[in-house]
Amino acid sequence: MRKSQMIAIKKVAAVVVSSAIILTACGGENASSGVYDANSKAEISWLNILHTASPPTDTVLNKLEEKTNSDITFSWIPDASKEERINTALASDSLADIVTLTLLDNSSVRNALKSGMFWEVEPYLKDYPNLAKIPPETIKSASIGGKLYGVPFQKDLARNGVTLRKDWLDKLGLEVPKTTDELMEVAKAFTEKDPDGNGVDDTTGFVDRNDLVYGAFKTLSSYFGTPNNWQVSEDGKMTPEFMTEGYMKTMNYMKDLYDKGYINKDFAVTAKTDQQQKFAQGKAGIYVGALFDSKNLLNMSKGVQDKMELVMANDITSTGNESDRAIWAANNGIGGLLSFPRSEVKDEAELKRILKFVNDLLDEDSYALMTYGIKGTHYTVDDKDAATITNTDLWQQEVQPFAASRPKESGFKIHDADPLKQMADKMIADNANYAVLNPAYALESETYNTQGSELQKMITDATYKYILGEIDANGFNQAIESWKSAGGSSIISEYEASYKATQS
């Protein structure tokens, strides 16, 4: 579908509300002549994920089109319903020239990729200066069955760490913790020693949320030496993380926090927005998550906790030894794929023109547009390429929705002027030196594809029950045995076979 046919959708930037209607409208009418001039204006439809409440207006889009010499027609799918909508679009072959696929472990997505529905792109990357710079390990992690069916979203490898109230540390005479034991002592002090000085017992050390991955649990598990999802031995044996000593140590640590009241009692049912609000309101002093959240937490505290000062830590271990530093890498640094369906992208010439468009999105100017907006309208920049947002409301409306569409999120000259964000970026770059990858990320397991989410829920539920004291170690081991008999053993054997095949 071309711009003339989708102008109404683009001008109002409509969120997809009926995949059966709008997604179908996006597909099936690529007027391909079979010959594409690399310098010609490209007409591109893009089925994309929306992570904000509303789609962007045309202000930045127009500039992006000018920069990339293209007419872009977006169809937006709200993030909350992306799995259902993408599955429907794949099943009906109602797609667009570019399809954002973020759920690479989804069985429908993986099966569609393996079926030949999308173009294999690795052989073409070398012909484009920015695409040619994608690291080989990124291509390997983003490949399905050894083939790359789209341009990978390049994310920072390991973004997580610990954010603490520096003003509370200073008041209580405490240092930034370097070990999990020291972190526990800080949590105790923040809970018991009235760090805000209001004379009321109304603070906890940690504030956490109902997320064992992006909340505190998985980052703490790195500090205890837990592998990232899976561990592979020298002889190719695969062990899931929850069957390792590090995972049990993490559960015991979290249980200790819970039993002693050093973490919010409702963490297992707390949403991320509520977690951040509690921190910003001074209800707790330790936040474990993405390091760049520190900037947002401080901004949220304005007018509520105006004396708040924050400090970050990314070098905590359970042993105190630098050699034991480790931090899990989310999806091995892969945020998904920009994929190109053969039903829409009819021939190699059209594919090459679309790849040029994606290559142009990786330019410095495109990154600045999709991150900060238009200079003088949304932000200013100093002589050191440090950018400051000058109109937050306008930026949220016109720029922020594009952030998740950037094919790469770091490594550019322009950067945030905020000191906390600069420190977070520095620590995230440092984390890459200690990142623990998931060795099974690019491996194949049909059982995992079809039953993985259901089986993982068994372990997630058992983990929460252990931390909350509803089951003991025997109960957790029983959950593992149930996981094995329900399909977990098949996942292990299938991953082992897949791993062996990659080594031959």
Side-chain angles (χ1 to χ4, degrees):
M1 168 152 292
R2 293 305 171 214
K3 191 172 184 180
S4 60
Q5 299 165 297
M6 289 290 290
I7 193 70
I9 291 177
K10 178 181 171 184
K11 290 305 179 186
V12 300
V15 175
V16 174
V17 295
S18 173
S19 57
I21 298 174
I22 296 180
L23 295 184
T24 301
C26 290
E29 275 196 71
N30 268 358
S32 173
S33 66
V35 178
Y36 277 74
D37 180 354
N39 297 313
S40 65
K41 194 166 193 175
E43 296 181 344
I44 294 171
S45 58
W46 188 344
L47 184 59
N48 204 2
I49 309 300
L50 183 69
H51 293 265
T52 54
S54 302
T57 60
D58 278 0
T59 308
V60 171
L61 176 59
N62 292 337
K63 290 290 185 181
L64 198 61
E65 289 180 324
E66 181 182 333
K67 156 66 187 165
T68 60
N69 191 26
S70 62
D71 284 334
I72 311 167
T73 299
F74 281 107
S75 288
W76 296 101
I77 294 177
D79 181 63
S81 58
K82 64 185 175 185
E83 186 164 12
E84 175 190 351
R85 298 291 176 80
I86 289 294
N87 286 346
T88 300
L90 292 172
S92 60
D93 199 14
S94 303
L95 302 167
D97 299 331
I98 301 174
V99 180
T100 296
L101 298 174
T102 57
L103 300 172
L104 296 186
D105 57 353
N106 175 282
S107 58
S108 296
V109 171
R110 292 185 76 87
N111 289 334
L113 291 169
K114 291 188 295 181
S115 73
M117 183 181 289
F118 295 89
W119 283 88
E120 182 187 354
V121 302
E122 185 176 358
Y124 301 96
L125 300 184
K126 65 182 185 303
D127 299 327
Y128 304 88
N130 294 325
L131 299 179
K133 295 176 184 175
I134 299 175
E137 57 269 23
T138 298
I139 292 174
K140 181 179 179 181
S141 288
S143 296
I144 307 294
K147 294 184 178 181
L148 184 67
Y149 294 106
V151 175
F153 283 97
Q154 299 173 71
K155 299 291 186 179
D156 290 312
L157 200 56
R159 301 186 283 184
N160 284 37
V162 181
T163 298
L164 306 103
R165 288 287 298 261
K166 181 181 183 299
D167 51 325
W168 288 8
L169 289 172
D170 291 344
K171 180 179 179 181
L172 300 177
L174 298 170
E175 300 292 329
V176 177
K178 293 285 189 180
T179 68
T180 50
D181 284 345
E182 291 175 0
L183 184 60
M184 180 70 76
E185 288 303 310
V186 170
K188 178 181 180 180
F190 282 2
T191 304
E192 298 177 351
K193 294 188 177 180
D194 192 23
D196 57 1
N198 67 354
V200 181
D201 182 14
D202 60 353
T203 60
T204 60
F206 284 79
V207 60
D208 197 26
R209 62 182 185 264
N210 59 342
D211 189 335
L212 293 180
V213 179
Y214 295 100
F217 188 89
K218 197 166 181 68
T219 295
L220 290 173
S221 76
S222 292
Y223 304 156
F224 286 104
T226 309
N228 186 2
N229 289 31
W230 289 86
Q231 186 176 67
V232 59
S233 65
E234 290 184 3
D235 59 355
K237 298 298 182 183
M238 304 289 294
T239 304
E241 62 180 356
F242 51 81
M243 290 171 59
T244 66
E245 182 182 6
Y247 196 94
M248 179 58 71
K249 286 182 177 179
T250 309
M251 288 200 300
N252 285 329
Y253 190 87
M254 290 283 289
K255 179 173 171 52
D256 206 15
L257 290 173
Y258 180 79
D259 289 345
K260 293 177 178 177
Y262 301 164
I263 190 171
N264 54 309
K265 286 291 187 181
D266 60 350
F267 82 93
V269 294
T270 297
K272 180 179 180 179
T273 52
D274 294 330
Q275 174 201 22
Q276 293 185 336
Q277 285 292 343
K278 288 180 180 182
F279 188 93
Q281 293 165 1
K283 301 299 184 184
I286 302 171
Y287 175 96
V288 184
L291 289 162
F292 52 67
D293 284 345
S294 58
K295 173 187 174 182
N296 299 330
L297 293 170
L298 190 62
N299 287 337
M300 290 170 65
S301 74
K302 300 293 175 58
V304 182
Q305 291 277 302
D306 286 329
K307 294 183 179 180
M308 179 184 286
E309 295 180 59
L310 300 180
V311 64
M312 291 168 284
N314 72 329
D315 57 355
I316 294 174
T317 67
S318 61
T319 64
N321 298 324
E322 172 75 14
S323 60
D324 291 327
R325 272 189 66 179
I327 183 67
W328 66 283
N331 299 318
N332 290 5
I334 309 299
L337 294 173
L338 289 171
S339 295
F340 319 109
R342 290 179 176 273
S343 61
E344 303 298 315
V345 183
K346 299 293 188 181
D347 53 41
E348 188 178 57
E350 187 174 358
L351 173 67
K352 289 181 177 180
R353 183 61 186 89
I354 292 175
L355 285 172
K356 181 183 183 300
F357 166 76
V358 177
N359 180 81
D360 291 343
L361 290 183
L362 286 159
D363 284 346
E364 181 83 25
D365 291 345
S366 298
Y367 171 81
L369 276 170
M370 299 174 82
T371 306
Y372 300 105
I374 300 168
K375 186 165 63 174
T377 300
H378 304 101
Y379 74 98
T380 58
V381 63
D382 64 19
D383 56 3
K384 295 182 180 179
D385 296 310
T388 301
I389 302 298
T390 54
N391 189 328
T392 301
D393 290 341
L394 193 64
W395 176 84
Q396 289 175 339
Q397 295 170 14
E398 300 182 344
V399 187
Q400 189 179 20
F402 288 108
S405 302
R406 299 170 300 177
K408 186 180 179 184
E409 66 179 12
S410 63
F412 298 88
K413 288 187 299 182
I414 193 169
H415 57 277
D416 203 301
D418 183 86
L420 271 177
K421 181 61 164 60
Q422 289 185 14
M423 180 55 67
D425 289 343
K426 183 178 179 180
M427 287 186 167
I428 289 169
D430 181 49
N431 274 353
N433 298 312
Y434 306 93
V436 179
L437 301 183
N438 174 9
Y441 188 75
L443 299 182
E444 283 297 306
S445 165
E446 186 60 31
T447 305
Y448 180 81
N449 291 346
T450 57
Q451 297 178 239
S453 297
E454 176 185 341
L455 290 171
Q456 181 56 47
K457 188 176 185 303
M458 296 169 63
I459 300 301
T460 298
D461 289 347
T463 301
Y464 277 120
K465 287 179 179 179
Y466 183 90
I467 294 170
L468 300 178
E470 297 174 11
I471 61 173
D472 58 12
N474 287 332
F476 186 76
N477 288 331
Q478 288 174 13
I480 292 177
E481 292 304 313
S482 297
W483 176 87
K484 288 179 179 179
S485 61
S489 292
S490 296
I491 293 177
I492 293 174
S493 60
E494 289 165 7
Y495 273 154
E496 288 176 349
S498 180
Y499 179 80
K500 183 178 180 181
T502 65
Q503 303 304 302
S504 58

